[in-house]
Amino acid sequence: MKRFTGFVIKEFYHIFRDYRTLLILFGIPAVQLLLFGYVITNEIKDARIAIYDASKDEVTRKISEKILSSGYFILEKNLNNYSQISQTFREGKTKLVIVFGSKFAEKLQQEGKAELQILGDASDPNTANILVNYATGIINNYLISIDIEQMPMRIIPEVRMQYNPELKGVFMFVPGIMAMLLMLISALMTSLSITREKELGTMELLLVSPLRPIQIIIGKVIPYVVLAFIDSCVILAMGNFVFGVPVQGNIILLLAECLLYITMALSLGILISSITSSQQVAMTISLMALMLPTILLSGFIFPVENMPVILQGLCYIMPPKYFITIIKDIMLKGNGFIYVWKDTVILAMFTVVFMMMSIKKFKIRLA
Amino acid sequence: MNNLSIIVSNISRNYDSVKALDDVSFEVPRGELFGFIGPDGAGKTTLFRILATLVLPDKGTASVEGFDVVKDFKKIRKILGYMPGRFSLYMDLSVEENLSFYATIFGTTIKENYDLIKDIYRQIEPFKKRMAGQLSGGMKQKLALCCALIHKPAVIFLDEPTTGVDAVSRMEFWEMLRRLKESNITIMVSTPYMDEASLCDRVALIQDGKIMKISRPEEIIADYRYQLWAVRSGRFFELLSDLHAYPGVHSVHAFGQSAHVAFNKSALLMDDLRRHLIHAGYADVVIEEIRPAIEDCFMELMSQ
């Protein structure tokens, strides 16, 4: 046991003396979370629009006012004829054009319908979609408010976005970033720290020593378990205090799941390091084979359900997918263990498999 | 009880198609300082790794202190001190931390075996707070030796411990090895420097994976059959080839500033050679009779 603690202490020396490691461990999570939270956002604020009002009556003016006072849109310019529209889009600032047909109020009064066109700049399809939806919503609201007594029957849906009423993007990013960063720190760092010993030749001495392979592996892992765990607490705290992402569920359950995921990522890192012998290769594998799937195939950014079947199949063998599901459930929905036990079991199985593979693969001799 | 510490019989090991070791056999009694001399790529490191249980032999068997290197590797790892060819300590740990780390993983402490290393450790102790990465080559090797000795091994394997170390530190290092012998530790050391051979109890000359000769250094010198002259003059490279072409000369090797000419006893007359060289236009020709050194013997053995 003394041997083992001596080994772990040595690992901590390595980490604390290498400022780059420390920077990766504690700098990256904070920066990433802030970046994702503030910069990459799907929320709409102050989108520039243009209005071509061919009618210029009371109703069109009111609708325009409603749209512009919503906080989502600001007026870039008023257009005077239809042909100006494409020119306006080409200039690039304007994301949305609203066109009122002629005699808008009159037609609305007499025929019960009027012409209104919304054009979005779909060179950025997501934004265009959201803008069009917002604008439509505002217009419908207005119509409902004036028509209410004239219409005989109406269904007015009251929409409420459960678990994230304000549709904040950061709600989605916090779980995603946790999955990504814990994977990065755990897998990358352990695989680097083991291959470094191989490169330096110190592995030769460790092998010759009476330390058993399992002691070497666990000794390598423990410091990173501690550090990655601290990291997940930092991310959760930042998410909560800076961005207001709540933790609805049991915090202890949440942290336990984090710990499980960290262990899984670490055993993956060990596996990588036991099949490679240089830091370069280990780094490439960790980044390419772990980071990209974590971002793309985990449901972090793109919903798994919308992918082609083959990719969906791939998603199911990506451990981060399960972790993201679990923490979304616990953090946002406040679900208890009975709702997440299946995903937890799957994660645990990944962990066991990776662990066994890496212990088996660990070479007790040189090549 | 059997007094042999290391027994190697008929060991072969290939790397792909390259024969690193070819049917190597030898024995080392307990407490001997046994040297392996040979050029780079001769198979020294492979042999050391096999004995240190890091590489498996393709053929043959070997044992260290009675333990088989394949079957009993765990037991060997407990009693073995190993210093790999390249510097393999942690650069970002201090001298003291490196030493105490190796002490800990072998289940001991610096204090417990301080006696064994104190002669060596005293020399680097003033720098014990310094990071190992910032030590000079000689000091690094001394630290590595301390680390290999800290658990009081029965056998130590030192793979080229003096390569890349300055001449003074090399001598100091060998001085330490000789002193370690008093603790009855079997020491196996390899080196590419032939002059270090005379400091061992016995040496094995290894080349292309084969052992050419195993003997005591004095015996190797005594077995030398040729007479030897040292010849010095200007135009050194021409001198070497001219001497080589001179009838009756067995071999010519360059040793620093002089050419060592070997020939069958009494086959040449010194005055004849001097006259020949002066006639060929060499100035300041100096020829002396010399006693063969261990290097001369190795050059001879290696050219066979």
Side-chain angles (χ1 to χ4, degrees), chain B residues 94-302:
Chain B
S94 72
V95 169
E96 200 178 21
E97 284 160 354
N98 265 299
L99 191 57
S100 72
F101 170 66
Y102 282 108
T104 322
I105 63 170
F106 278 95
T108 178
T109 57
I110 299 183
K111 235 185 216 160
E112 208 171 304
N113 291 319
Y114 188 76
D115 273 353
L116 191 61
I117 59 160
K118 70 170 180 231
D119 287 341
I120 313 164
Y121 191 54
R122 249 184 227 145
Q123 303 180 29
I124 47 175
E125 214 165 8
F127 313 102
K128 67 180 181 185
K129 297 281 174 216
R130 194 182 284 186
M131 295 294 144
Q134 289 155 4
L135 294 176
S136 72
M139 283 202 279
K140 277 181 185 166
Q141 295 310 81
K142 283 171 197 165
L143 174 58
L145 182 61
C146 287
C147 291
L149 284 172
I150 190 65
H151 57 292
K152 210 166 198 254
V155 186
I156 56 171
F157 296 107
L158 311 170
D159 190 5
E160 301 203 2
T162 53
T163 300
V165 173
D166 64 274
V168 176
S169 297
R170 268 169 59 191
M171 279 304 119
E172 283 175 3
F173 198 89
W174 277 92
E175 197 61 24
M176 288 169 205
L177 293 188
R178 295 211 65 87
R179 239 176 284 148
L180 271 181
K181 259 174 54 74
E182 289 158 21
S183 317
N184 205 28
I185 295 177
T186 310
I187 304 169
M188 205 170 113
V189 58
S190 74
T191 175
Y193 302 116
M194 296 176 190
D195 56 324
E196 293 179 350
S198 52
L199 303 166
C200 303
D201 293 335
R202 281 196 308 152
V203 286
L205 179 70
I206 184 169
Q207 193 176 22
D208 295 328
K210 285 200 174 86
I211 293 188
M212 319 287 291
K213 188 169 182 103
I214 302 181
S215 203
R216 305 176 72 77
E218 314 85 83
E219 284 167 10
I220 290 181
I221 295 172
D223 284 351
Y224 192 73
R225 307 187 277 128
Y226 298 96
Q227 201 175 339
L228 209 56
W229 288 344
V231 181
R232 273 195 301 272
S233 174
R235 296 190 286 148
F236 194 58
F237 287 100
E238 283 173 72
L239 179 69
L240 285 177
S241 60
D242 280 350
L243 284 170
H244 210 82
Y246 191 71
V249 168
H250 170 72
S251 68
V252 181
H253 293 290
F255 282 88
Q257 292 298 309
S258 49
H260 286 192
V261 181
F263 52 94
N264 282 322
K265 290 212 163 91
S266 325
L268 297 180
L269 286 173
M270 204 180 273
D271 285 343
D272 287 350
L273 180 61
R274 185 174 294 124
R275 226 172 292 134
H276 172 78
L277 289 177
I278 291 171
H279 189 72
Y282 288 94
D284 308 325
V285 176
V286 180
I287 305 180
E288 309 174 294
E289 170 98 40
I290 51 166
R291 290 158 57 82
I294 195 104
E295 289 104 316
D296 297 297
C297 309
F298 281 134
M299 294 310 271
E300 179 55 34
L301 286 167
M302 279 163 62

Side-chain angles (χ1 to χ4, degrees), chain A residues 14 17 197 204 207 364 366, chain B residues 54 77 82 90 92 97:
Chain A
H14 286 320
R17 289 191 183 160
E197 300 240 11
E204 227 171 302
L207 287 178
I364 53 164
L366 297 173
Chain B
L54 284 170
R77 288 176 183 187
Y82 175 49
Y90 297 98
D92 54 346
E97 284 160 354

Side-chain angles (χ1 to χ4, degrees), chain B residues 62-86:
Chain B
S63 69
V64 176
E65 292 288 317
F67 299 120
D68 186 89
V69 291
V70 180
K71 281 189 304 231
D72 303 324
F73 72 95
K74 278 187 185 156
K75 286 179 189 143
I76 294 183
R77 288 176 183 187
K78 288 206 175 78
I79 54 156
L80 164 88
Y82 175 49
M83 190 172 150
R86 47 184 181 164

Side-chain angles (χ1 to χ4, degrees), chain A residues 52-115:
Chain A
Y52 169 42
D53 190 347
S55 159
K56 291 207 172 76
D57 54 44
E58 196 191 345
V59 179
T60 61
R61 218 181 53 241
K62 270 205 172 139
I63 293 177
S64 301
E65 256 169 34
K66 280 262 179 202
I67 289 174
L68 293 177
S69 62
S70 67
Y72 301 121
F73 303 105
I74 51 174
L75 185 66
E76 174 71 17
K77 59 168 127 176
N78 277 306
L79 306 179
N80 300 322
N81 63 58
Y82 207 82
S83 60
Q84 282 177 315
I85 292 175
S86 61
Q87 176 62 33
T88 313
F89 273 134
R90 262 191 224 117
E91 281 165 13
K93 277 189 197 162
T94 311
K95 300 293 173 205
L96 197 78
V97 175
I98 295 171
V99 181
F100 295 100
S102 53
K103 299 179 189 148
F104 193 87
E106 213 179 300
K107 280 186 184 165
L108 195 64
Q109 280 290 311
Q110 291 166 3
E111 301 167 30
K113 60 180 181 184
E115 286 155 355

